Amino acid sequence: MQEKPELDFPRPLTTVDVVIFAIRSDALQVLLVQRPKAESEPFPGAWALPGGFVDIAGDRDLEACAVRKLKAKTGVVSPYLEQLGSWGSATRDPRGWSATHAYFALLPEHTAGGALAGDAQWFAVEGEKVRPKLAFDHAEILQAAVLRLRNKVEYTSLPAYLMPQEFTLPELQRTYEIVLDRPLEKSAFRTRMLAADLIEPVAKMRKGPNRPAQLYRLKKAKAPVFFTRTFNPPG
Amino acid sequence: MQEKPELDFPRPLTTVDVVIFAIRSDALQVLLVQRPKAESEPFPGAWALPGGFVDIAGDRDLEACAVRKLKAKTGVVSPYLEQLGSWGSATRDPRGWSATHAYFALLPEHTAGGALAGDAQWFAVEGEKVRPKLAFDHAEILQAAVLRLRNKVEYTSLPAYLMPQEFTLPELQRTYEIVLDRPLEKSAFRTRMLAADLIEPVAKMRKGPNRPAQLYRLKKAKAPVFFTRTFNPPG
DNA sequence: TAAGTTAGTTGGACTGTACAACTAAGTATG
DNA sequence: CATACTTAGTTGTACAGTCCAACTAACTTA
């Protein structure tokens, strides 16, 4: 490692933040952590996205760092994880020039209750915001994550990653509607979802208070399926 | 600025790279720069994406840094610029743990010939690759850029940013076809493009060797327009 | 004047969505 | 035990946009 002047350049602080979504109580929720209350910390006591500094000794790459932070807060090991973008500027962190690599993760509801860290808590997403004022530029990052999620939902199968292993078509549709925050046409939804070849029926039925419903599960496809068309909004 | 142990963490090298696309000679081309031949440099003499270290004294934010690097190599000040993603790992740069923030830019053909830096040169994109072997993980970044461009072209108006200020519909269609590397239906293309309300006719006509064609220009819309449907491939 | 080239339009077959009305299978209620 | 209520799932019609081919239009060249 030679002593190039460039290597002596002061380097930005480098962090990774994760926007963790789940459907809970029939609403889209996001996991936040409370920053330490010590006055020496930036934004003491404020809510923030889970994240922190890259550990160049321990983290092989950025995604491994994101997985580590997600596991630390939720105990979840392998959710859907996608890079969202990066935010870097001289002013976003009072400690100096900093850049964060933001990821977003989708958790099935049943895993979202598990091994939550003590400083972590779920908050409902209202519009593209959340009730408490967020530290740093995390409100902007959260908004980008919600918009990206909504946007991708229009033409991919992403919401399937928010479902438990087995689910009914109306439940899946409900999840789409929660994420998109608008009603969808039942028959168009069924036609498209089945044509997308993303889910397969299992032998069982779900017996509810009403008519029993067919159970489906995600096919083995790892990547989200792209639909050829968007759902056109009714009306 | 307090002396938190975290701030003493060794920080990754932080760079910004820009994938610069233009249509030249009826083909999709990308701008590359040749790395210095000094043996003390990583990948001496190899071709690489334009980019370099973030200057935390001079760059206000990541995008400003990308604009600076783009201007340095092409002279172009305000092209279409979009964040592509970030790549960071312990091994991608022999000098140590590094993270790059990648952007991609679209240039109209007539600006692409201008004030090129001496070490810069255009290369045709073949598939998702380019002929020379690229430094670092830049082949991977380039591939991601091409796939993203192709993918977005399916449902947005991005290619309009590759056009000169005034253009005919057949020229615009040709640009779509070059980017997508497949033929498009003429009448469906016209219907969709005009319905998208993205371009507007100007009073003039283009007089070519054959029948004259109506000239159009981009509407003032700053953001690329999202189509409601994809182009279905013929056949 | 005829042939060639490219711009742009027209029309019919087809496909998938939008929407409403329908059937199906269970539970709750009087 | 019959009726109403609820939710799952299907069917049918209208409509919009595409796919594709054939057409017209305007100009150049031989």
Side-chain angles (χ1 to χ4, degrees):
Chain A
M1 199 150 306
Q2 59 285 350
E3 279 306 309
K4 291 281 303 167
E6 280 172 333
L7 296 178
D8 292 337
F9 265 25
R11 305 173 182 186
L13 291 164
T14 301
T15 57
V16 167
D17 292 308
V18 190
V19 185
I20 306 171
F21 288 116
I23 305 286
R24 291 163 49 90
S25 318
D26 218 37
L28 181 64
Q29 302 202 353
V30 62
L31 191 69
L32 300 177
V33 299
Q34 195 167 21
R35 295 196 52 79
K37 295 216 170 82
E39 282 300 328
S40 60
E41 289 276 337
F43 301 96
W47 292 94
L49 297 172
F53 292 98
V54 171
D55 173 9
I56 74 174
D59 296 322
R60 189 174 44 246
D61 53 34
L62 289 174
E63 184 168 322
C65 178
V67 168
R68 172 171 66 84
K69 299 196 181 292
L70 185 108
K71 189 181 171 198
K73 294 301 173 191
T74 66
V76 173
V77 183
S78 62
Y80 178 80
L81 189 66
E82 172 181 324
Q83 196 180 79
L84 176 64
S86 54
W87 279 256
S89 78
T91 54
R92 59 180 296 277
D93 188 317
R95 294 167 295 191
W97 220 108
S98 83
T100 192
H101 303 263
Y103 283 76
F104 83 86
L106 303 181
L107 264 50
E109 173 156 13
H110 67 284
T111 68
L116 263 203
D119 56 351
Q121 196 173 305
W122 290 98
F123 288 84
V125 175
E126 302 166 16
E128 294 96 39
K129 294 178 174 37
V130 85
R131 208 48 79 86
K133 186 160 168 50
L134 298 185
F136 306 105
D137 50 4
H138 287 188
E140 188 183 331
I141 297 175
L142 172 62
Q143 173 171 355
V146 174
L147 291 178
R148 170 95 139 247
L149 177 61
R150 290 232 176 91
N151 193 18
K152 285 196 92 162
V153 162
E154 296 277 354
Y155 55 93
T156 75
S157 61
L158 267 197
Y161 293 93
L162 292 164
M163 306 299 293
Q165 213 162 18
E166 298 187 343
F167 50 85
T168 68
L169 269 178
E171 288 166 355
L172 181 60
Q173 180 174 350
R174 181 71 194 127
T175 296
Y176 271 79
E177 290 174 338
I178 289 172
V179 172
L180 289 174
D181 196 25
R182 74 163 200 258
L184 297 178
E185 274 307 312
K186 180 167 55 164
S187 68
F189 181 82
R190 296 182 78 91
T191 311
R192 289 241 345 239
M193 189 54 61
L194 294 175
D197 197 40
L198 159 73
I199 59 179
E200 58 188 359
V202 301
K204 290 170 287 181
M205 303 280 281
R206 163 153 308 163
K207 288 212 178 42
N210 303 308
R211 176 177 175 168
Q214 177 64 53
L215 282 173
Y216 293 86
R217 67 165 168 237
L218 250 182
K219 281 196 172 179
K220 300 288 170 291
K222 306 124 303 280
V225 169
F226 277 72
F227 296 117
T228 52
R229 317 225 155 204
T230 60
F231 294 115
N232 283 334
Chain B
M1 201 150 309
Q2 59 286 349
E3 279 306 308
K4 292 278 305 167
E6 279 171 332
L7 296 177
D8 293 337
F9 265 24
R11 305 174 181 185
L13 290 165
T14 302
T15 57
V16 167
D17 292 310
V18 190
V19 185
I20 306 170
F21 288 116
I23 304 286
R24 290 164 47 91
S25 318
D26 219 37
L28 183 64
Q29 302 203 353
V30 62
L31 191 68
L32 301 177
V33 299
Q34 194 166 22
R35 294 196 53 80
K37 295 216 170 79
E39 282 300 327
S40 60
E41 288 278 337
F43 301 96
W47 291 94
L49 296 171
F53 293 98
V54 171
D55 173 9
I56 75 175
D59 296 323
R60 186 174 45 244
D61 54 33
L62 289 174
E63 184 167 322
C65 178
V67 167
R68 172 171 66 84
K69 299 196 180 294
L70 186 109
K71 189 180 172 199
K73 294 300 173 190
T74 65
V76 173
V77 182
S78 63
Y80 178 81
L81 189 65
E82 171 181 323
Q83 196 180 78
L84 175 64
S86 55
W87 279 257
S89 78
T91 53
R92 60 180 296 276
D93 188 316
R95 294 166 294 191
W97 221 108
S98 83
T100 192
H101 302 264
Y103 284 76
F104 83 84
L106 304 181
L107 263 51
E109 173 156 13
H110 67 282
T111 68
L116 263 203
D119 56 351
Q121 197 174 306
W122 290 97
F123 289 83
V125 175
E126 302 166 16
E128 293 94 40
K129 295 179 173 38
V130 85
R131 208 49 79 87
K133 186 161 169 46
L134 298 186
F136 306 106
D137 50 5
H138 287 188
E140 189 184 330
I141 296 174
L142 172 63
Q143 174 171 356
V146 174
L147 292 178
R148 168 95 140 248
L149 176 61
R150 290 230 177 93
N151 193 19
K152 285 196 92 163
V153 162
E154 296 277 354
Y155 56 93
T156 76
S157 61
L158 268 196
Y161 294 92
L162 292 164
M163 306 299 294
Q165 214 161 16
E166 298 187 342
F167 50 85
T168 68
L169 269 179
E171 288 166 355
L172 181 60
Q173 180 174 350
R174 181 72 195 125
T175 297
Y176 272 78
E177 291 174 336
I178 290 172
V179 172
L180 289 174
D181 195 25
R182 73 163 199 257
L184 297 177
E185 274 306 311
K186 180 168 55 164
S187 67
F189 181 84
R190 296 181 78 92
T191 310
R192 290 240 345 239
M193 190 54 61
L194 294 174
D197 196 40
L198 159 74
I199 59 178
E200 58 188 0
V202 301
K204 290 171 285 179
M205 303 280 281
R206 164 153 309 161
K207 288 214 174 52
N210 304 308
R211 176 177 175 170
Q214 178 63 53
L215 282 173
Y216 294 85
R217 67 164 167 238
L218 251 182
K219 280 195 174 181
K220 299 290 171 290
K222 308 123 302 278
V225 169
F226 276 72
F227 296 117
T228 52
R229 319 217 156 211
T230 59
F231 294 114
N232 284 335

